[in-house]
Amino acid sequence: MTKVFARTKGLIDVPNHYCPGCGHGIVHRLVAEVLEEMDLLDHTVGVAPVGCAVFAYNYFNCDMYEAAHGRAPAVATGAKRVFPNNCVFTYQGDGDLASIGTAEIVHAAHRGEKITTIFINNAIYGMTGGQMAPTTLVGQRTTTSPKGRDKDLCGEPIRMAELLATIEGSAYIERTAVNNNANIIKTKKAIRKAFETQMERKGFSMVEVLSTCPTNWGKSPIEAMQWLEDEMIPYYPLGVFKEV
Amino acid sequence: MTTKQLMKGCEAIAEAALRGGCRYFFGYPITPQNDIPEYMSARLPEIGGVFLQAESEIAASNMVYGAAGAGARVMTSSSSPGISLKQEGISTIAGAELPCVIVNVMRGGPGIGGIQASQGDYFQSVKGGGHGDYKLIVFGPDSVQEAIDIVYGAFDIADKYRTPVMILADGLIGQMMEPVTMPEFKSDEEIKVEKPWAATGWHEGCGRPRAIINSLYIEDEALEALHERLQARYRIIEQNEVRYEYYNIEDAEVILIAYGTISRVCRSAIDELAEEGIKVGMVRPITLWPFPSQAVLDAVAQPSVKKALAVEISAGQMVEDARLAVNGLKEVAFLGYPGSKIATVEEIIAKVKALREE
Ligand SMILES: Cc1ncc(C[n+]2csc(CCOP(=O)(O)OP(=O)(O)O)c2C)c(N)n1
Ligand code: SF4
């Protein structure tokens, strides 16, 4: 019998803790597959965030750090400066990257830090139980916006890909989604492009992935994918925002 | 070469760090320590190292965490408000059992405070600073030369114990010029320490387990095991690393306890009192943690000693450790100011005389 599918070597063979229908698991696999296909695993160092992906260091089959909340780009900077030939990536949620860690991500891009950031935008704080994120949509109910996000009170959601694309040091910035197979394939291509950008030393690279949190959205996995498509994609357009 | 040269404290600290093996520096400008990053920005590239000005002290301390986790000899420096921001990284580094060196050229606080010399960060440095049960090895040099000698060896100590080391200087030590002798550069062999735990890039069969640089211990047993390791290490540090200086303690009637710049004022007061025939001695802690408790107790317990006097540039911080060391055996009085004032020789003399008469 010919083997048509095997688990990527980029992931350790352990069960993960993500909820059914969560986008994190999909994106983990895509990152790991790309690292394996590009033959980067033996000189890759990853930085896990504080958020639902906090245990990513138990899943990615390479040297890993766990960073304080939001500081992954700073930690990655330290790691990359010591080993400039290593492939260094951060994996961050939207509370981590777009709220507490905005200074670190903006300045990693601003320095043209040769790292790759995988940014999971699920429009909510997953790990702490579904509070409002800077990326939460106007009207979206969360545990700290029980009547829906009020734009007069909290502003409107922040578009990180567009923001970071304005920075000179950014070399590749794309937004993708994991709501269907076609978009998952596009996400993998974007991740590959981002790592290539890093290894060609062009500058900072980030893929923002629109992802699901069925648990805190109060939806089934299928409903969550549909909500991503109907509500998130219209506000967060997919596409390449920067490529040098 | 051991010729003397005149050097400013901050620059001397920076050069001594390089000679002691520092190859990476992440910092952010703040007075009165700017000469350290400025000096590093010029010198580190010359010796194949990396200087990076971070976007904040928070980022700088997390960059230090990244570089320390990769096995590098790395340092950061700041002054009080900046050190407060670095506490996230410092706590993380302590929790991940990583070595690094931190210099605090203290200024007055709280808040933005002022830029005059101060010893107001003693509590922050020796009692934790960031969250959680951890310790830093903390040195309080009293001269530019002593700052050089301490920084020069600090990376070895940090590597030996996988613990952050802090040099707690004040604005005077940082800004004054003194004749100093610079030690030779440590050789590549001397500064190369095996760090099989470092995140350098890994593959199956490369001779070490996969590295996970981490301060998260979610399972109770794992957190307990961390604390057992840390506490065992701290006990060894307490045994091995205590440093202090005794000055004229024999037959002293009063023992002064002071560290850093203010200990030099105390020394002058002791000399003047000696000319009047009044015997006063001093215990000068050089390590603030581990605190030289036994040395303080031994000095104060001498039968000739009536009282002790702690002198600081603060409202009274180290005095608490001195009192714990003496444990009620004799009175430990206090003299010090938290603001822009420093106790003078005359004030110390007057206070000593008053204590003798009480
Ligand atoms: C300094 C600090 N503040 C707050 C927290 C609590 N906290 C943990 S995860 C998290 C939010 C995570 O949300 P996000 O980054 O969106 O990731 P997700 O869980 O959705 O993947 C917060 C606020 C923390 N661990 N540290
Ligand atoms: S809480 Fe949300 S983000 Fe976290 S694992 Fe569950 S579905 Fe995923």
Side-chain angles (χ1 to χ4, degrees):
Chain A
M1 220 168 59
T2 45
K3 205 170 186 179
V4 291
F5 180 80
R7 172 186 267 280
T8 163
K9 289 197 186 74
L11 285 180
I12 297 170
D13 193 2
V14 289
N16 69 43
H17 68 282
Y18 299 115
C19 308
C22 175
H24 276 303
I26 302 172
V27 182
H28 274 36
R29 187 176 126 195
L30 299 181
V31 172
E33 284 176 356
V34 169
L35 290 173
E36 184 188 5
E37 285 161 20
M38 288 177 68
D39 213 9
L40 288 174
L41 278 169
D42 65 353
H43 57 291
T44 290
V45 175
V47 186
V50 169
C52 276
V54 70
F55 295 125
Y57 57 79
N58 285 332
Y59 306 146
F60 287 113
N61 201 10
C62 56
D63 277 350
M64 292 289 295
Y65 288 79
E66 166 54 32
H69 195 21
R71 314 295 176 227
V75 175
T77 298
K80 183 78 180 187
R81 296 297 175 130
V82 176
F83 291 109
N85 295 328
N86 273 352
C87 168
V88 177
F89 76 94
T90 72
Y91 185 104
Q92 303 176 255
D94 43 8
D96 198 78
L97 181 143
S99 188
I100 195 166
T102 40
E104 283 73 18
I105 196 69
V106 164
H107 286 279
H110 153 243
R111 288 188 300 271
E113 210 62 60
K114 285 142 201 85
I115 61 171
T116 298
T117 291
I118 309 298
F119 168 37
I120 305 298
N121 179 355
N122 59 12
I124 207 155
Y125 283 21
M127 188 195 210
T128 37
Q131 295 84 3
M132 188 182 75
T135 45
T136 294
L137 297 179
V138 171
Q140 185 185 338
R141 285 170 198 265
T142 71
T143 56
T144 50
S145 59
K147 294 182 175 162
R149 179 176 183 154
D150 175 350
K151 72 173 180 181
D152 290 332
L153 200 62
C154 314
E156 293 172 66
I158 190 165
R159 295 186 181 97
M160 288 307 293
E162 287 85 336
L163 188 154
L164 292 173
T166 66
I167 296 175
E168 284 302 320
S170 295
Y172 190 76
I173 307 284
E174 181 169 355
R175 185 185 288 117
T176 65
V178 291
N179 60 310
N180 57 40
N181 287 343
N183 278 341
I184 289 171
I185 290 165
K186 277 190 193 159
T187 299
K188 184 170 172 181
K189 279 193 184 136
I191 291 170
R192 186 179 177 102
K193 183 82 191 161
F195 279 117
E196 283 168 359
T197 302
Q198 175 182 174
M199 297 324 280
E200 289 161 13
R201 299 177 189 274
K202 286 183 176 163
F204 174 76
S205 53
M206 181 184 82
V207 182
E208 171 174 343
V209 186
L210 302 183
S211 183
T212 49
C213 178
T215 303
N216 288 301
W217 291 356
K219 294 185 172 19
S220 72
I222 290 171
E223 287 165 355
M225 289 297 181
Q226 198 60 50
W227 191 83
L228 191 169
E229 194 167 315
D230 297 344
E231 305 295 330
M232 285 182 78
I233 293 178
Y235 186 85
Y236 293 112
L238 306 184
V240 177
F241 294 91
K242 181 85 182 267
E243 182 170 6
V244 297
Chain B
M1 270 236 304
T2 52
T3 49
K4 289 240 173 200
Q5 52 183 323
L6 205 56
M7 268 189 112
K8 194 178 188 178
C10 281
E11 295 186 350
I13 286 171
E15 181 63 31
L18 301 179
R19 291 174 185 234
C22 176
R23 292 296 177 272
Y24 296 85
F25 183 97
F26 302 94
Y28 188 82
I30 182 170
T31 306
Q33 62 83 56
N34 290 323
D35 308 276
I36 299 178
E38 285 167 4
Y39 191 90
M40 287 297 197
S41 70
R43 281 286 279 144
L44 264 169
E46 288 175 5
I47 63 163
V50 175
F51 165 87
L52 200 62
Q53 181 169 319
E55 60 271 29
S56 70
E57 289 88 350
I58 297 178
S61 67
N62 284 285
M63 289 173 185
V64 170
Y65 170 65
R73 285 202 155 179
V74 55
M75 166 174 158
T76 186
S77 69
S78 191
S79 179
S80 309
I83 295 288
S84 290
L85 285 187
K86 285 193 204 285
Q87 294 301 338
E88 176 186 82
I90 294 172
S91 172
T92 304
I93 291 165
E97 301 171 86
L98 297 177
C100 74
V101 174
I102 306 142
V103 177
N104 181 1
V105 184
M106 283 181 281
R107 59 189 247 181
I112 304 171
I115 57 169
Q116 72 289 0
S118 163
Q119 296 182 323
D121 300 348
Y122 179 91
F123 281 153
Q124 185 194 48
S125 312
V126 307
K127 306 288 178 193
H131 58 283
D133 265 310
Y134 73 91
K135 288 286 183 190
L136 309 175
I137 300 177
V138 185
F139 291 95
D142 74 336
S143 67
V144 176
Q145 184 65 56
E146 191 171 79
I148 290 173
D149 298 342
I150 287 169
V151 175
Y152 186 66
F155 294 90
D156 297 333
I157 295 177
D159 277 344
K160 180 172 173 188
Y161 298 107
R162 287 179 62 179
T163 279
V165 171
M166 177 174 273
I167 287 92
L168 194 63
D170 59 55
L172 286 169
I173 301 280
Q175 291 304 313
M176 73 185 166
M177 289 186 97
E178 287 191 304
V180 296
T181 309
M182 252 315 148
E184 294 291 331
F185 263 90
K186 290 195 176 170
S187 67
D188 288 349
E189 271 83 78
E190 280 175 288
I191 67 171
K192 197 172 165 28
V193 178
E194 284 304 318
K195 295 180 177 176
W197 44 263
T200 58
W202 173 87
H203 60 89
E204 202 88 56
C206 74
R208 64 159 171 91
R210 195 170 65 84
I212 301 176
I213 306 297
N214 188 10
S215 68
L216 171 63
Y217 302 85
I218 202 78
E219 274 130 23
D220 293 353
E221 308 80 57
L223 189 58
E224 267 171 44
L226 168 78
H227 282 300
E228 276 169 23
R229 286 198 302 281
L230 290 181
Q231 292 303 320
R233 196 172 302 163
Y234 296 155
R235 297 297 87 77
I236 294 171
I237 293 169
E238 283 168 340
Q239 276 172 25
N240 293 348
E241 303 299 338
V242 170
R243 287 192 218 170
Y244 61 92
E245 186 199 359
Y246 275 161
Y247 185 64
N248 286 359
I249 65 151
E250 262 165 58
D251 302 325
E253 283 180 61
V254 175
I255 291 290
L256 303 185
I257 306 158
Y259 73 95
T261 297
I262 196 71
S263 71
R264 295 166 69 140
V265 186
C266 290
R267 206 180 290 261
S268 302
I270 291 168
D271 294 346
E272 285 193 26
L273 284 161
E275 281 174 25
E276 290 183 44
I278 301 172
K279 290 194 164 179
V280 177
M282 174 166 69
V283 189
R284 179 172 73 84
I286 299 172
T287 48
L288 307 178
W289 194 86
F291 190 73
S293 302
Q294 190 61 47
V296 169
L297 177 60
D298 291 347
V300 176
Q302 298 179 101
S304 62
V305 174
K306 292 198 187 109
K307 284 177 184 164
L309 173 65
V311 189
E312 297 177 59
I313 316 174
S314 79
Q317 301 194 10
M318 182 209 62
V319 63
E320 293 194 3
D321 284 334
R323 285 181 180 144
L324 279 173
V326 172
N327 199 17
L329 186 68
K330 288 176 193 171
E331 182 188 338
V332 181
F334 175 72
L335 174 63
Y337 303 104
S340 51
K341 249 170 69 177
I342 293 183
T344 61
V345 173
E346 293 71 36
E347 281 176 296
I348 295 170
I349 289 174
K351 182 79 182 179
V352 167
K353 286 184 175 168
L355 284 174
R356 281 172 83 229
E357 257 128 63
E358 266 174 23

